Amino acid sequence: MLAQIRSIGAYVPENAVTNDQLAETVDTSDEWIRSHTGIGKRHIATDDQAASDLAVRAVNIAMERAGMSPEELDLIILATASGDYPGFPSTACIVQEAIGAVNAGALDISAGCTGFVYGLEMARGMIVSGCSKNILVAGVEVLTHITNWKDRDTCVLFGDGAGAAVVTSGEDGGSGILDSILRAEGSGAPYLIRKAGGSRQPYTGKDDAYQDLFIQMDGQKVYKFAVRVNTDLVGMFFQRHNLTIDDIAYIVPHQANVRIIQAAAKRLGIPMEKFYLNIEEYANTSAASIPLALNEMSEKGILKRGDLILTLGFGAGLTYGGNLIRW
Ligand code: ACO
């Protein structure tokens, strides 16, 4: 038995802020952001929109496309680094109630930008083992609500969005998640971090303590890590399955920075056309970026049944991983 992505849906907030608009309030420029990242704009949630609000919009689309009612779901796995609440309750539980998935368990997973890749593999394990039948895997972020808008090193990078996939059982030899690689490198934990608000550094409300509630990043450390692990992941998948790039229709990487993908592509000797990129429109939406890309590719008819695709995720933790999928 295979675990198959039966449908996919996505949602981004309507408000798109261009680099030029951002440069009116932050010391930056369209030229710097484009040349250093490939980002042209980002979609930003309204003040009253939380992660679950975006997730529900994406989930409803995916459920409708799957032709499935919420009661049929056994499990909701929601990947996020910017959930409705810090820690608990999980955003997955808020979504479960909102859509009426009365027979489902619900949990969040914290794997940074690799969250959706991790979630797909967890769903595959649950389905192939026979423990679950119908699983919703979502990746959702409202990173702009946990961004320090005075820190130009980070605030130009992120955007908000949600993507969701319905994963069910499929027949051997057909469409499905064929393999995944999940890895972590916890030594890099300090490089991408929200320091306050947990048990390590409870939020005190004193002086500048609020600054540690925002995303902090050592950009160059993350950059080097990302280029290395993207290169390694592709090599590992190719070796495990005896593949060449000619066998792969598209590589769908986490959309963090176009330069990371260019550097990995160069090391691998793979043409850039093999990588699907939409970072110019959405910026880095962390756990949402891969399902947003898959949804866009599906809607545009870029993905054909039977195509082999490779997802590549990397992010806070540090985590990385990928899924080999027959679409
Ligand atoms: N606008 C203008 N100038 C800027 C900006 C900005 N927004 N940000 C930094 N600069 C300046 C710096 O101050 C520095 O100036 P200086 O030379 O006078 O000191 C100069 O630009 C170069 O800064 P660097 O940090 O060296 O720039 P770099 O080329 O490394 O690019 C970047 C920075 C884009 C952040 C890059 O390091 C990167 O992409 N890192 C990886 C980030 C990433 O992938 N994050 C994903 C994970 S996010 C997640 O998982 C939630």
PDB file of all heavy atoms in Angstrom, residues 2 16 49 72 80 90 100 109 114 129 133 145 166 189 197 201-202 213 260 265 273 275 301-302 323:
ATOM      1  N   LEU A   2       0.412   2.283  -0.708  1.00  0.00           N
ATOM      2  CA  LEU A   2       1.123   3.554  -0.734  1.00  0.00           C
ATOM      3  C   LEU A   2       0.288   4.611  -0.020  1.00  0.00           C
ATOM      4  O   LEU A   2      -0.929   4.473   0.080  1.00  0.00           O
ATOM      5  CB  LEU A   2       1.287   4.027  -2.175  1.00  0.00           C
ATOM      6  CG  LEU A   2       2.444   3.514  -3.017  1.00  0.00           C
ATOM      7  CD1 LEU A   2       2.373   4.148  -4.397  1.00  0.00           C
ATOM      8  CD2 LEU A   2       3.769   3.864  -2.369  1.00  0.00           C
ATOM      9  N   ALA A  16      -0.717  42.122  -0.294  1.00  0.00           N
ATOM     10  CA  ALA A  16       0.650  41.860  -0.766  1.00  0.00           C
ATOM     11  C   ALA A  16       1.464  43.155  -0.655  1.00  0.00           C
ATOM     12  O   ALA A  16       1.056  44.192  -1.175  1.00  0.00           O
ATOM     13  CB  ALA A  16       0.624  41.375  -2.206  1.00  0.00           C
ATOM     14  N   GLN A  49      -5.878  38.014  11.986  1.00  0.00           N
ATOM     15  CA  GLN A  49      -5.753  36.678  11.364  1.00  0.00           C
ATOM     16  C   GLN A  49      -4.621  35.899  12.022  1.00  0.00           C
ATOM     17  O   GLN A  49      -3.472  36.349  12.021  1.00  0.00           O
ATOM     18  CB  GLN A  49      -5.424  36.802   9.877  1.00  0.00           C
ATOM     19  CG  GLN A  49      -6.640  36.831   8.960  1.00  0.00           C
ATOM     20  CD  GLN A  49      -6.224  36.905   7.504  1.00  0.00           C
ATOM     21  OE1 GLN A  49      -5.248  37.584   7.140  1.00  0.00           O
ATOM     22  NE2 GLN A  49      -6.958  36.224   6.653  1.00  0.00           N
ATOM     23  N   GLU A  72     -14.594  12.161   8.089  1.00  0.00           N
ATOM     24  CA  GLU A  72     -13.800  11.019   7.598  1.00  0.00           C
ATOM     25  C   GLU A  72     -12.318  11.105   7.970  1.00  0.00           C
ATOM     26  O   GLU A  72     -11.581  10.143   7.770  1.00  0.00           O
ATOM     27  CB  GLU A  72     -13.925  10.908   6.078  1.00  0.00           C
ATOM     28  CG  GLU A  72     -15.322  10.524   5.605  1.00  0.00           C
ATOM     29  CD  GLU A  72     -15.417  10.550   4.086  1.00  0.00           C
ATOM     30  OE1 GLU A  72     -14.989   9.572   3.455  1.00  0.00           O
ATOM     31  OE2 GLU A  72     -15.898  11.566   3.530  1.00  0.00           O
ATOM     32  N   THR A  80       3.861  24.112  12.021  1.00  0.00           N
ATOM     33  CA  THR A  80       3.938  25.573  12.124  1.00  0.00           C
ATOM     34  C   THR A  80       5.020  25.989  13.104  1.00  0.00           C
ATOM     35  O   THR A  80       5.339  25.251  14.042  1.00  0.00           O
ATOM     36  CB  THR A  80       2.580  26.180  12.543  1.00  0.00           C
ATOM     37  OG1 THR A  80       2.657  27.599  12.453  1.00  0.00           O
ATOM     38  CG2 THR A  80       2.172  25.772  13.950  1.00  0.00           C
ATOM     39  N   SER A  90      -2.733  23.339  20.685  1.00  0.00           N
ATOM     40  CA  SER A  90      -2.165  23.265  19.346  1.00  0.00           C
ATOM     41  C   SER A  90      -3.077  23.967  18.346  1.00  0.00           C
ATOM     42  O   SER A  90      -4.300  24.014  18.528  1.00  0.00           O
ATOM     43  CB  SER A  90      -1.968  21.802  18.929  1.00  0.00           C
ATOM     44  OG  SER A  90      -3.221  21.193  18.672  1.00  0.00           O
ATOM     45  N   GLY A 100     -14.923  20.848  11.990  1.00  0.00           N
ATOM     46  CA  GLY A 100     -15.828  19.773  12.421  1.00  0.00           C
ATOM     47  C   GLY A 100     -15.273  18.382  12.154  1.00  0.00           C
ATOM     48  O   GLY A 100     -16.019  17.470  11.806  1.00  0.00           O
ATOM     49  N   ILE A 109       3.279  19.930  14.709  1.00  0.00           N
ATOM     50  CA  ILE A 109       4.682  19.519  14.746  1.00  0.00           C
ATOM     51  C   ILE A 109       5.564  20.743  14.539  1.00  0.00           C
ATOM     52  O   ILE A 109       5.223  21.658  13.789  1.00  0.00           O
ATOM     53  CB  ILE A 109       5.036  18.403  13.740  1.00  0.00           C
ATOM     54  CG1 ILE A 109       4.638  18.774  12.321  1.00  0.00           C
ATOM     55  CG2 ILE A 109       4.405  17.097  14.137  1.00  0.00           C
ATOM     56  CD1 ILE A 109       5.122  17.748  11.306  1.00  0.00           C
ATOM     57  N   THR A 114      10.967  22.739   7.599  1.00  0.00           N
ATOM     58  CA  THR A 114      10.899  21.359   7.111  1.00  0.00           C
ATOM     59  C   THR A 114       9.598  20.689   7.561  1.00  0.00           C
ATOM     60  O   THR A 114       9.370  19.508   7.285  1.00  0.00           O
ATOM     61  CB  THR A 114      12.105  20.540   7.629  1.00  0.00           C
ATOM     62  OG1 THR A 114      13.271  21.371   7.647  1.00  0.00           O
ATOM     63  CG2 THR A 114      12.403  19.343   6.746  1.00  0.00           C
ATOM     64  N   SER A 129       1.099   1.753   7.736  1.00  0.00           N
ATOM     65  CA  SER A 129       1.023   0.787   8.845  1.00  0.00           C
ATOM     66  C   SER A 129      -0.415   0.366   9.145  1.00  0.00           C
ATOM     67  O   SER A 129      -0.638  -0.543   9.940  1.00  0.00           O
ATOM     68  CB  SER A 129       1.628   1.403  10.112  1.00  0.00           C
ATOM     69  OG  SER A 129       0.825   2.498  10.538  1.00  0.00           O
ATOM     70  N   LYS A 133      -6.479   6.155   8.134  1.00  0.00           N
ATOM     71  CA  LYS A 133      -6.936   6.055   6.736  1.00  0.00           C
ATOM     72  C   LYS A 133      -6.815   7.382   6.004  1.00  0.00           C
ATOM     73  O   LYS A 133      -6.319   7.453   4.890  1.00  0.00           O
ATOM     74  CB  LYS A 133      -8.407   5.624   6.718  1.00  0.00           C
ATOM     75  CG  LYS A 133      -8.633   4.143   6.920  1.00  0.00           C
ATOM     76  CD  LYS A 133     -10.012   3.761   6.342  1.00  0.00           C
ATOM     77  CE  LYS A 133     -10.231   2.265   6.351  1.00  0.00           C
ATOM     78  NZ  LYS A 133     -10.470   1.745   7.716  1.00  0.00           N
ATOM     79  N   HIS A 145       3.692  38.082  12.260  1.00  0.00           N
ATOM     80  CA  HIS A 145       3.269  38.487  13.610  1.00  0.00           C
ATOM     81  C   HIS A 145       4.338  38.206  14.665  1.00  0.00           C
ATOM     82  O   HIS A 145       4.183  38.585  15.819  1.00  0.00           O
ATOM     83  CB  HIS A 145       1.966  37.766  14.000  1.00  0.00           C
ATOM     84  CG  HIS A 145       0.759  38.296  13.282  1.00  0.00           C
ATOM     85  ND1 HIS A 145      -0.529  37.897  13.574  1.00  0.00           N
ATOM     86  CD2 HIS A 145       0.647  39.197  12.276  1.00  0.00           C
ATOM     87  CE1 HIS A 145      -1.383  38.533  12.783  1.00  0.00           C
ATOM     88  NE2 HIS A 145      -0.690  39.315  11.971  1.00  0.00           N
ATOM     89  N   VAL A 166      -4.611  16.394   1.639  1.00  0.00           N
ATOM     90  CA  VAL A 166      -5.320  15.228   2.166  1.00  0.00           C
ATOM     91  C   VAL A 166      -4.549  13.996   1.705  1.00  0.00           C
ATOM     92  O   VAL A 166      -4.327  13.801   0.504  1.00  0.00           O
ATOM     93  CB  VAL A 166      -6.777  15.182   1.657  1.00  0.00           C
ATOM     94  CG1 VAL A 166      -7.463  13.899   2.116  1.00  0.00           C
ATOM     95  CG2 VAL A 166      -7.547  16.407   2.147  1.00  0.00           C
ATOM     96  N   ALA A 189      20.824  24.828  16.490  1.00  0.00           N
ATOM     97  CA  ALA A 189      19.615  25.411  17.096  1.00  0.00           C
ATOM     98  C   ALA A 189      19.712  26.929  17.302  1.00  0.00           C
ATOM     99  O   ALA A 189      18.744  27.650  17.041  1.00  0.00           O
ATOM    100  CB  ALA A 189      19.301  24.695  18.415  1.00  0.00           C
ATOM    101  N   GLY A 197       9.788  33.005  25.951  1.00  0.00           N
ATOM    102  CA  GLY A 197       8.408  32.523  25.943  1.00  0.00           C
ATOM    103  C   GLY A 197       8.284  31.037  26.210  1.00  0.00           C
ATOM    104  O   GLY A 197       7.182  30.509  26.330  1.00  0.00           O
ATOM    105  N   GLN A 201      13.685  30.354  28.730  1.00  0.00           N
ATOM    106  CA  GLN A 201      13.748  31.798  28.994  1.00  0.00           C
ATOM    107  C   GLN A 201      12.317  32.341  29.042  1.00  0.00           C
ATOM    108  O   GLN A 201      11.831  32.912  28.061  1.00  0.00           O
ATOM    109  CB  GLN A 201      14.561  32.489  27.887  1.00  0.00           C
ATOM    110  CG  GLN A 201      14.812  33.959  28.133  1.00  0.00           C
ATOM    111  CD  GLN A 201      15.640  34.578  27.006  1.00  0.00           C
ATOM    112  OE1 GLN A 201      16.531  33.943  26.434  1.00  0.00           O
ATOM    113  NE2 GLN A 201      15.352  35.823  26.662  1.00  0.00           N
ATOM    114  N   PRO A 202      11.638  32.153  30.191  1.00  0.00           N
ATOM    115  CA  PRO A 202      10.249  32.630  30.270  1.00  0.00           C
ATOM    116  C   PRO A 202      10.186  34.132  30.002  1.00  0.00           C
ATOM    117  O   PRO A 202      11.116  34.866  30.356  1.00  0.00           O
ATOM    118  CB  PRO A 202       9.849  32.315  31.710  1.00  0.00           C
ATOM    119  CG  PRO A 202      10.798  31.260  32.161  1.00  0.00           C
ATOM    120  CD  PRO A 202      12.080  31.503  31.428  1.00  0.00           C
ATOM    121  N   LEU A 213      11.138  37.678  21.836  1.00  0.00           N
ATOM    122  CA  LEU A 213       9.955  36.953  21.356  1.00  0.00           C
ATOM    123  C   LEU A 213       9.941  36.880  19.829  1.00  0.00           C
ATOM    124  O   LEU A 213       9.156  36.155  19.238  1.00  0.00           O
ATOM    125  CB  LEU A 213       8.675  37.646  21.834  1.00  0.00           C
ATOM    126  CG  LEU A 213       8.401  37.598  23.343  1.00  0.00           C
ATOM    127  CD1 LEU A 213       7.256  38.524  23.698  1.00  0.00           C
ATOM    128  CD2 LEU A 213       8.078  36.173  23.795  1.00  0.00           C
ATOM    129  N   ILE A 260      20.265  30.369  -2.398  1.00  0.00           N
ATOM    130  CA  ILE A 260      20.555  29.049  -1.817  1.00  0.00           C
ATOM    131  C   ILE A 260      20.331  27.978  -2.892  1.00  0.00           C
ATOM    132  O   ILE A 260      21.145  27.071  -3.076  1.00  0.00           O
ATOM    133  CB  ILE A 260      19.639  28.777  -0.595  1.00  0.00           C
ATOM    134  CG1 ILE A 260      20.023  29.695   0.569  1.00  0.00           C
ATOM    135  CG2 ILE A 260      19.692  27.298  -0.178  1.00  0.00           C
ATOM    136  CD1 ILE A 260      19.084  29.635   1.759  1.00  0.00           C
ATOM    137  N   ALA A 265      22.141  24.123  -6.911  1.00  0.00           N
ATOM    138  CA  ALA A 265      21.985  23.660  -8.298  1.00  0.00           C
ATOM    139  C   ALA A 265      23.346  23.604  -8.999  1.00  0.00           C
ATOM    140  O   ALA A 265      23.653  22.645  -9.719  1.00  0.00           O
ATOM    141  CB  ALA A 265      21.034  24.590  -9.053  1.00  0.00           C
ATOM    142  N   GLU A 273      16.008  25.347 -14.212  1.00  0.00           N
ATOM    143  CA  GLU A 273      14.625  25.100 -14.681  1.00  0.00           C
ATOM    144  C   GLU A 273      14.000  23.890 -13.988  1.00  0.00           C
ATOM    145  O   GLU A 273      12.787  23.734 -13.997  1.00  0.00           O
ATOM    146  CB  GLU A 273      14.587  24.851 -16.200  1.00  0.00           C
ATOM    147  CG  GLU A 273      15.101  25.978 -17.062  1.00  0.00           C
ATOM    148  CD  GLU A 273      16.618  26.052 -17.093  1.00  0.00           C
ATOM    149  OE1 GLU A 273      17.279  25.127 -17.592  1.00  0.00           O
ATOM    150  OE2 GLU A 273      17.145  27.081 -16.575  1.00  0.00           O
ATOM    151  N   PHE A 275      14.052  23.403 -10.845  1.00  0.00           N
ATOM    152  CA  PHE A 275      13.578  23.810  -9.523  1.00  0.00           C
ATOM    153  C   PHE A 275      12.354  24.710  -9.686  1.00  0.00           C
ATOM    154  O   PHE A 275      12.390  25.680 -10.450  1.00  0.00           O
ATOM    155  CB  PHE A 275      14.671  24.581  -8.775  1.00  0.00           C
ATOM    156  CG  PHE A 275      15.866  23.737  -8.404  1.00  0.00           C
ATOM    157  CD1 PHE A 275      16.894  23.529  -9.324  1.00  0.00           C
ATOM    158  CD2 PHE A 275      15.954  23.143  -7.156  1.00  0.00           C
ATOM    159  CE1 PHE A 275      17.996  22.751  -8.999  1.00  0.00           C
ATOM    160  CE2 PHE A 275      17.054  22.359  -6.824  1.00  0.00           C
ATOM    161  CZ  PHE A 275      18.072  22.160  -7.741  1.00  0.00           C
ATOM    162  N   GLY A 301      -1.403  23.274 -13.766  1.00  0.00           N
ATOM    163  CA  GLY A 301      -1.279  22.118 -14.652  1.00  0.00           C
ATOM    164  C   GLY A 301       0.169  21.745 -14.935  1.00  0.00           C
ATOM    165  O   GLY A 301       0.465  21.018 -15.887  1.00  0.00           O
ATOM    166  N   ILE A 302       1.089  22.243 -14.089  1.00  0.00           N
ATOM    167  CA  ILE A 302       2.509  21.948 -14.292  1.00  0.00           C
ATOM    168  C   ILE A 302       2.819  20.512 -13.882  1.00  0.00           C
ATOM    169  O   ILE A 302       3.685  19.853 -14.450  1.00  0.00           O
ATOM    170  CB  ILE A 302       3.369  22.947 -13.479  1.00  0.00           C
ATOM    171  CG1 ILE A 302       3.215  24.348 -14.068  1.00  0.00           C
ATOM    172  CG2 ILE A 302       4.829  22.536 -13.424  1.00  0.00           C
ATOM    173  CD1 ILE A 302       3.823  25.446 -13.236  1.00  0.00           C
ATOM    174  N   ASN A 323      10.930  14.611   0.396  1.00  0.00           N
ATOM    175  CA  ASN A 323      10.028  13.506   0.017  1.00  0.00           C
ATOM    176  C   ASN A 323      10.167  13.250  -1.479  1.00  0.00           C
ATOM    177  O   ASN A 323      10.178  14.197  -2.271  1.00  0.00           O
ATOM    178  CB  ASN A 323       8.552  13.850   0.268  1.00  0.00           C
ATOM    179  CG  ASN A 323       8.275  14.543   1.594  1.00  0.00           C
ATOM    180  OD1 ASN A 323       8.025  15.749   1.618  1.00  0.00           O
ATOM    181  ND2 ASN A 323       8.324  13.804   2.676  1.00  0.00           N
TER     182      ASN A 323
END
